Amino acid sequence: MVATNKFNKSPEASTFSLSAYLKERQKLCVTALDQAIPVIYPERIYEAMRYSLLAGGKRVRPILCLATCEMTGGTIDIAMPTACAVEMIHTMSLIHDDLPAMDNDDYRRGKLTNHKVYGEDVAILAGDGLLALAFEFVATQTPQQVPRERVLQVIARLGRALGAAGLVGGQVVDLESEGKSDTSLETLNFIHNHKTAALLEASVVCGGILTGASSQDVQRLSRYAQNIGLAFQIVDDILDITETQEQLGKTAGKDLKAQKVTYPSLWGLDESRSKAQELIEAACAELEPFGELAQPLKAIAHYIISRNH
Amino acid sequence: MVATNKFNKSPEASTFSLSAYLKERQKLCVTALDQAIPVIYPERIYEAMRYSLLAGGKRVRPILCLATCEMTGGTIDIAMPTACAVEMIHTMSLIHDDLPAMDNDDYRRGKLTNHKVYGEDVAILAGDGLLALAFEFVATQTPQQVPRERVLQVIARLGRALGAAGLVGGQVVDLESEGKSDTSLETLNFIHNHKTAALLEASVVCGGILTGASSQDVQRLSRYAQNIGLAFQIVDDILDITETQEQLGKTAGKDLKAQKVTYPSLWGLDESRSKAQELIEAACAELEPFGELAQPLKAIAHYIISRNH
């Protein structure tokens, strides 16, 4: 398998445009996600699933998955079902996190949250439906040229990233720490390593698993993703303090309001910014062996700390 | 692969004891489920998952999965991860269905429901965690002797049975039909084919897929399961009317209270009982080609309509 994307070829490396790259990849991902869920009877559940899945968003996770697959010698086609699955899982976690019994948020990506539009019952089920589809989609849509053992490894990684050892475990500790002003750095790291980094890591690592990347390369990918995952969360915490609701498209200042311990509340804003920068540099260092092919993943890493929403 | 279980051998067929068979299988399933979820940090989520998963129950779905695998030439070992997964998915659907935003039930299997013990937030996450684990478990625990393509087929079937084309879709239509006294038989069938029969069907069919059953045999298994699934629901509706809360271990008479259309409300009790009987006979007729090996599955079918809880 050879990389087929123009962005990966070194002659153009010096003119690499991240914004054009992201725009093209977002479009590919949205098209694939749109096609993944047709609206049939009972329409309401498919509409609710589509409402949140197609509500915008940066598509960071699926784009990371596609980019890693290409960097390690694969094509967009073999990674797209997995890319869709990570976005379905991410969306499901947002729908459930926004519920009144959890974070009780009314807005997400500038739009009403799922339960505000469809009701809590349908929102819970829409999350469950997306989750079920994520696994079914990888199992049925991954091209036959990918050895079946690799597809099973992808499913195992996704399940682990989502479950009690990942997203779900991070969210439980996050809920427990709410309103506590004495949350330790260790606990804060646990929350974000599980709530944010675990699925980012799975997105990146699965892109490599699909191409049969060596275990050494998988470990490099894993460290790259853990570093950008933590940087991503630090930046999220900073933005919650410095940006307005309009820029974020979701309720701003809610961490302060909830008396949540965050990285800026532990370290201050400046120290938080420099820690995020260090993490991004460490992440990029892991990609050195991949040479010019690593350019998109490196650019995405830098984008994470420069974003303002 | 040969069947290793004593219950499958024809010399003992005439003395087959369903109650001994179910008791032994329940024990095997409970042991496997218990081992599938160790309690580690953050303990609360693992405890919540275990609370509902190990709260008793007849273990009909995993037992059907094991029985089908053995009937089609496999062993308990190759089917146990899938059997555990169907019970995890079933338990997750119960936890989410019992939530205040859904059926709002306080009791299940004679115990407080998950959200009454752990809170709504943790209950939602416990369901998500069980669901994630179900897929991870099949992907990582199914013995290597099973061709990987079959394991992917099992995962695809489980995803489909759980998602908008299965359980989730059935629950949405069920919620929409609540309080409506003009629900049609067609809608009622849709609800139960999706809410109940889909996962029973996946439990049975996956047992056959694991052994590489022919597509003709898979179709027979599918029809067997659809028939017992519908019979199971008719009997559930009958029991909701005729049994006490103590016998059911859950709130009795809730269909009447919710003004739900049920099979007895459409057909009356006698007609409902005879329809259930017909479905069981049709189910058993599908198993004729399997001869004596079909005895456990036939006995389970008859058990479904004779149960009183």
Side-chain angles (χ1 to χ4, degrees):
Chain A
M1 285 176 284
V2 292
T4 56
N5 188 274
K6 60 181 175 177
F7 297 110
N8 274 346
K9 292 176 184 162
S10 55
E12 294 181 59
S14 56
T15 59
F16 179 77
S17 157
L18 180 67
S19 66
Y21 177 88
L22 291 177
K23 207 172 158 187
E24 189 220 7
R25 297 309 167 94
Q26 278 159 358
K27 205 173 154 190
L28 289 174
C29 292
V30 170
T31 301
L33 290 169
D34 181 41
Q35 290 172 347
I37 308 183
V39 178
I40 54 173
Y41 179 82
E43 288 82 5
R44 195 170 167 77
I45 185 66
Y46 293 97
E47 284 164 5
M49 290 162 69
R50 290 175 59 87
Y51 175 79
S52 293
L53 192 63
L54 302 173
K58 298 176 287 293
R59 316 297 182 188
V60 170
R61 292 159 194 79
I63 291 173
L64 282 169
C65 181
L66 299 177
T68 307
C69 183
E70 289 187 285
M71 182 182 76
T72 56
T75 60
I76 288 181
D77 284 354
I78 70 169
M80 190 56 92
T82 302
C84 288
V86 295
E87 192 68 359
M88 289 173 193
I89 291 170
H90 173 59
T91 303
M92 164 267 161
S93 79
L94 300 181
I95 295 173
H96 283 186
D97 281 7
D98 287 337
L99 287 167
M102 307 266 250
D103 294 350
N104 195 19
D105 266 315
D106 291 353
Y107 289 93
R108 166 75 67 181
R109 293 172 179 165
K111 295 176 71 176
L112 284 171
T113 45
N114 200 289
H115 65 274
K116 296 299 283 185
V117 178
Y118 295 95
E120 279 182 61
D121 48 1
V122 174
I124 294 167
L125 291 167
D128 296 346
L130 283 170
L131 215 159
L133 182 58
F135 294 100
E136 184 192 350
F137 205 69
V138 173
T140 60
Q141 303 299 312
T142 303
Q144 286 295 325
Q145 72 197 85
V146 180
R148 306 290 85 185
E149 174 59 29
R150 292 184 196 164
V151 185
L152 282 179
Q153 280 178 37
V154 164
I155 288 167
R157 286 268 183 167
L158 294 179
R160 195 169 168 81
L162 163 64
L167 269 171
V168 162
Q171 177 69 353
V172 165
V173 177
D174 194 17
L175 289 166
E176 281 173 356
S177 73
E178 237 167 61
K180 286 186 192 165
S181 53
D182 63 344
T183 301
S184 67
L185 179 60
E186 196 188 349
T187 301
L188 196 62
N189 282 337
F190 180 93
I191 292 170
H192 298 311
N193 282 335
H194 290 74
K195 255 192 94 162
T196 310
L199 188 58
L200 280 170
E201 186 187 352
S203 305
V204 169
V205 165
C206 289
I209 288 173
L210 288 166
T211 62
S214 69
S215 72
Q216 199 184 15
D217 280 352
V218 166
Q219 280 167 35
R220 283 187 172 275
L221 293 172
S222 182
R223 289 190 297 264
Y224 160 84
Q226 283 166 6
N227 284 325
I228 66 167
L230 195 50
F232 190 92
Q233 188 57 49
I234 294 171
V235 172
D236 240 28
D237 285 357
I238 294 171
L239 292 176
D240 187 72
I241 295 171
T242 59
E243 301 294 299
T244 65
Q245 179 161 337
E246 201 181 335
Q247 283 165 300
L248 290 179
K250 62 182 179 183
T251 314
K254 63 177 183 151
D255 292 342
L256 277 175
K257 213 169 144 191
Q259 288 194 292
K260 261 191 179 175
V261 172
T262 65
Y263 291 105
S265 79
L266 286 175
W267 296 333
L269 280 171
D270 287 348
E271 175 75 5
S272 297
R273 283 196 188 101
S274 87
K275 287 266 188 190
Q277 185 65 44
E278 280 169 29
L279 287 164
I280 293 304
E281 281 158 22
C284 292
E286 296 290 349
L287 304 182
E288 283 312 319
F290 299 100
E292 285 294 336
L293 290 174
Q295 193 166 36
L297 283 181
K298 284 184 183 174
I300 293 168
H302 287 290
Y303 162 74
I304 279 172
I305 53 164
S306 62
R307 72 197 166 99
N308 63 0
H309 62 278
Chain B
M1 284 175 284
V2 292
T4 56
N5 188 277
K6 62 182 176 179
F7 296 110
N8 274 346
K9 291 174 185 163
S10 55
E12 292 180 60
S14 57
T15 59
F16 179 77
S17 158
L18 180 67
S19 66
Y21 177 89
L22 291 177
K23 206 172 160 187
E24 190 220 6
R25 297 308 167 97
Q26 278 160 0
K27 205 173 156 191
L28 289 174
C29 292
V30 170
T31 302
L33 290 169
D34 181 41
Q35 290 171 349
I37 309 184
V39 178
I40 55 174
Y41 178 80
E43 289 82 4
R44 193 169 167 77
I45 186 65
Y46 293 98
E47 284 164 5
M49 288 162 69
R50 289 175 59 86
Y51 174 79
S52 294
L53 192 61
L54 301 172
K58 297 175 289 290
R59 313 299 181 189
V60 170
R61 290 159 195 79
I63 291 173
L64 282 171
C65 180
L66 299 177
T68 307
C69 184
E70 288 187 285
M71 182 182 77
T72 55
T75 62
I76 287 180
D77 283 353
I78 70 168
M80 189 56 92
T82 301
C84 287
V86 295
E87 192 69 358
M88 289 173 193
I89 291 171
H90 173 59
T91 303
M92 165 268 163
S93 78
L94 300 181
I95 295 174
H96 283 188
D97 282 5
D98 286 338
L99 287 166
M102 306 266 250
D103 293 351
N104 195 19
D105 265 315
D106 291 353
Y107 289 93
R108 167 73 70 180
R109 292 172 181 165
K111 294 176 73 176
L112 284 171
T113 45
N114 201 288
H115 65 274
K116 296 300 281 184
V117 178
Y118 295 95
E120 279 182 61
D121 49 2
V122 173
I124 294 168
L125 291 167
D128 295 346
L130 283 171
L131 215 159
L133 182 58
F135 293 101
E136 184 191 351
F137 205 69
V138 172
T140 60
Q141 303 299 311
T142 304
Q144 287 295 326
Q145 72 196 86
V146 180
R148 305 290 86 183
E149 175 59 30
R150 291 183 197 166
V151 184
L152 283 179
Q153 282 179 35
V154 164
I155 287 167
R157 287 268 184 170
L158 294 178
R160 194 169 168 81
L162 163 63
L167 269 171
V168 162
Q171 178 69 353
V172 166
V173 178
D174 195 17
L175 290 166
E176 282 172 357
S177 73
E178 237 167 62
K180 287 187 193 164
S181 53
D182 62 345
T183 302
S184 66
L185 179 60
E186 197 188 349
T187 302
L188 196 63
N189 281 338
F190 180 93
I191 293 170
H192 297 312
N193 281 336
H194 290 74
K195 257 191 90 161
T196 311
L199 189 58
L200 281 169
E201 186 187 352
S203 306
V204 169
V205 165
C206 289
I209 289 173
L210 289 166
T211 62
S214 69
S215 71
Q216 198 184 17
D217 280 353
V218 166
Q219 280 168 33
R220 284 188 170 276
L221 293 172
S222 184
R223 289 190 297 264
Y224 161 84
Q226 284 168 5
N227 283 325
I228 67 167
L230 195 51
F232 190 90
Q233 189 56 49
I234 294 171
V235 172
D236 241 27
D237 286 356
I238 294 170
L239 292 175
D240 187 73
I241 295 170
T242 59
E243 300 295 297
T244 65
Q245 179 160 340
E246 199 180 336
Q247 282 166 301
L248 291 180
K250 62 182 178 183
T251 315
K254 64 176 180 150
D255 293 341
L256 276 176
K257 213 168 145 192
Q259 289 194 290
K260 261 190 179 174
V261 173
T262 64
Y263 290 106
S265 79
L266 285 176
W267 298 332
L269 281 170
D270 285 348
E271 175 75 3
S272 298
R273 283 196 188 100
S274 86
K275 286 266 187 191
Q277 185 65 45
E278 279 168 30
L279 286 164
I280 293 305
E281 280 158 22
C284 292
E286 295 289 348
L287 304 181
E288 282 312 319
F290 299 99
E292 284 294 336
L293 290 173
Q295 190 163 39
L297 284 182
K298 285 185 182 174
I300 292 167
H302 286 290
Y303 161 73
I304 279 172
I305 52 165
S306 62
R307 72 198 167 97
N308 63 2
H309 64 279

